[in-house]
Amino acid sequence: MTSETAKYTMEEVTERLGITARTLHYYEEIGLLPAVTRSEGRHRLFDEAMLQRIEHILKLKQVLGASLVEIREIMQAEEELDRIRATYYGDGASDEEKDRLLDEAALRLQEIITHIDDKLVKLSTLRQGFSDRLERATRLKHRSE
């Protein structure tokens, strides 16, 4: 770790998160990660916020089974929600503007929820198929006993 603002080297990040340097390079190439700050020697340095972003990407990939394209869309929606929140709580937004912002946030949140629901339906269908196969295998086994 270097500097006062907790910067991590590529090696520290890959070791901590259990991913490869190539994965981080690829995430940066496809826009999942913003441009990473670099040391004077041109080595990538990651701050705590960037580590949290990478962990969030990995969580979406693992838990939701989302593709990198889907993850980018979710991350963009979350960034849009952050922008909406900042505008809502910022100075000068009229009540009408706040209502419009709330409608916009609700729409973005519903899009994310719909995406998750679609994934759940697909996972449920996949699970049911395996459950049916297990049931058939169990019946076959009991017939032969």
Side-chain angles (χ1 to χ4, degrees), residues 92-99:
S94 67
D95 287 345
E96 186 176 292
E97 175 70 4
K98 286 184 176 185
D99 283 347

Side-chain angles (χ1 to χ4, degrees), residues 109-145:
L109 288 166
Q110 186 57 56
E111 289 170 355
I112 294 170
I113 291 167
T114 298
H115 180 76
I116 292 169
D117 287 346
D118 290 346
K119 284 284 187 181
L120 287 172
V121 167
K122 290 175 185 173
L123 283 170
S124 180
T125 301
L126 182 64
R127 184 187 189 289
Q128 186 60 50
F130 282 110
S131 289
D132 293 346
R133 290 172 65 186
L134 174 60
E135 188 178 314
R136 284 192 302 271
T138 303
R139 278 196 316 262
L140 286 172
K141 180 180 178 195
H142 290 306
R143 263 193 254 159
S144 63
E145 291 179 351

Side-chain angles (χ1 to χ4, degrees), residues 1 10 46 55 62 121 123:
M1 196 162 65
M10 177 75 76
F46 300 84
E55 287 173 335
Q62 180 183 17
V121 167
L123 283 170

